[in-house]
Amino acid sequence: MEVNKHISGQFNTELETIRSSVLAMGGMVEQQLSNALEAIHSQDIELARNIVETDLKVNAMEIAIDEECTRIIAKRQPAASDLRLILMISKTVTDLERMGDVADKLARMVVKNAGRTQPPLVSLDSMGRLAIKMLHDALDAFARMDVEAAVRLYHEDDNIDRQYESIIRELMTYMMEDPRTIPQVLDVLWAARSIERIGDRCQHISDYIIYCVKGKDVRHTKIEDVNSLG
Amino acid sequence: MEVNKHISGQFNTELETIRSSVLAMGGMVEQQLSNALEAIHSQDIELARNIVETDLKVNAMEIAIDEECTRIIAKRQPAASDLRLILMISKTVTDLERMGDVADKLARMVVKNAGRTQPPLVSLDSMGRLAIKMLHDALDAFARMDVEAAVRLYHEDDNIDRQYESIIRELMTYMMEDPRTIPQVLDVLWAARSIERIGDRCQHISDYIIYCVKGKDVRHTKIEDVNSLG
């Protein structure tokens, strides 16, 4: 009995440690994205180079957490709910790593385009802030394994999608009015696209949280049906 | 002893079944992508609608296989190499599902643009064939858990990337020469982008195969270092 308690105490510590690692990784990705917006805004090459370097750390964290997940499963042979938690962590870090790649890509764009005239980027910044806010909320929902907060994230993604559509229209007009700007504007288009994808990846994290808590896989479920779970 | 053999025999059957399911799902995605190229080429709305419907089946397969993975881990408590196999399957089906989404997206583009003038799509078709070939080879490598074949996939992706770059340049010229075509050409750009992403996803499958066989996580490893594993 004492031994069991001890083992399960150790196991709980391991689970807590790994959850903290996910939050640390998520916080780092949030900071990377925020720095990337700042680097775009102020055309700060030094900051951009820093982001590219830090992305290697983000990648290393993904692998380390994933290995820890495998190790815990092999060692602890966890049952249903703990197993679901570990599997969802393994998926979550993959999405976080890909969001980190977005910051890396934006930073490389700043380095590549250094010194050239920039197309208007104001609305990109505002969509970027929405995406970072959504990631922050996703990590919050993860920390508290909060299904209601996870469901709310779906609506945040709608806002990002709307801003994205309006940015695309804006940039399209810009290109049509002055076709010489097309190459630069396309870079902004790619940037907008990859920021929009952050919203989708945060939604994946929502799905994992709901799966983990409810034991129900809501990937590919309609929003109304997801709402009824909240 | 007999009992152990029996259990392990059942376990092997379960693993084989789940591997077959992954190959079946992969084959379906391959077909979906091939149909999508055909629907674009011949502007076949009926075929495009079929693809959108079939995507629901692909999504359902992802969830079913993933649930089976969780069930097997909980029931069999597999050790190192079997556990790695099951975890890599769970990641592989996510990438397959996202490749299925590309077919769905291309099909929706055909439906949306029905009856409008199309920009030139020849090179898109040729890049699409390369991507489907790469997926086919990735599934082959998965079926045989063949590390050498997995390493070769990295070079296939280089070819896709090169074609992608040339398509982007071609479309950019097209838009600059006739800015009125920008909205339609942008659709082709998105299509090219999502086909290019198939190559990246096939590379993820390579990484999982290498991880599974060698027990070494090669995500974010330089190509030269991966080659030395082959």
Side-chain angles (χ1 to χ4, degrees), chain B residues 75-134:
Chain B
K75 186 172 161 203
R76 301 294 182 185
Q77 312 189 324
S81 68
D82 290 334
L83 179 58
R84 280 207 304 270
L85 174 66
I86 299 169
L87 292 176
M88 81 82 88
I89 285 176
S90 167
K91 282 173 194 282
T92 299
V93 293
T94 301
D95 281 295
L96 287 176
E97 190 274 326
R98 308 259 163 92
M99 290 189 237
D101 285 345
V102 174
D104 177 80
K105 210 185 291 175
L106 296 174
R108 286 174 195 271
M109 185 182 82
V110 171
V111 174
K112 190 187 92 179
N113 291 340
R116 292 202 223 161
T117 347
Q118 301 299 318
L121 295 158
V122 185
S123 42
L124 200 62
D125 194 74
S126 138
M127 180 174 66
R129 298 283 153 215
L130 277 186
I132 292 170
K133 164 84 167 54
M134 189 171 169

Side-chain angles (χ1 to χ4, degrees), chain A residues 180-219:
Chain A
R180 287 166 308 172
T181 63
I182 288 176
Q184 284 107 295
V185 174
L186 278 188
D187 271 342
V188 185
L189 263 176
W190 298 136
R193 180 74 155 201
S194 49
I195 293 173
E196 185 268 333
R197 294 285 296 138
I198 292 175
D200 298 340
R201 296 202 176 276
C202 289
Q203 261 197 22
H204 296 161
I205 297 180
S206 288
D207 290 349
Y208 307 148
I209 293 169
I210 297 170
Y211 165 66
C212 192
V213 176
K214 299 268 177 182
K216 186 167 165 32
D217 203 324
V218 293
R219 283 177 291 180

Side-chain angles (χ1 to χ4, degrees), chain A residues 96-114:
Chain A
L96 287 177
E97 188 276 325
R98 307 261 164 91
M99 290 190 237
D101 285 345
V102 173
D104 176 80
K105 210 185 291 174
L106 296 175
R108 285 173 196 274
M109 186 181 83
V110 171
V111 174
K112 191 187 92 179
N113 291 340

Side-chain angles (χ1 to χ4, degrees), chain A residues 59 62-63 66 70 77 83 87 90-91 94 97-98 172 176 179 182 186 190 204 211 219-220, chain B residues 59 62-63 66 70 77 83 87 90-91 94 97-98 172 176 179 182 186 189-190 204 211 219-220:
Chain A
N59 296 349
E62 180 197 8
I63 293 183
D66 224 0
T70 314
Q77 312 189 325
L83 179 58
L87 293 176
S90 166
K91 283 174 195 284
T94 300
E97 188 276 325
R98 307 261 164 91
M172 215 151 23
M176 289 171 93
I182 288 176
L186 278 188
W190 298 136
H204 296 161
Y211 165 66
R219 283 177 291 180
H220 322 304
Chain B
N59 296 349
E62 180 197 9
I63 292 182
D66 226 359
T70 314
Q77 312 189 324
L83 179 58
L87 292 176
S90 167
K91 282 173 194 282
T94 301
E97 190 274 326
R98 308 259 163 92
M172 216 150 24
M176 288 170 94
I182 288 176
L186 278 188
L189 264 177
W190 298 137
H204 297 160
Y211 166 66
R219 283 176 291 180
H220 322 303

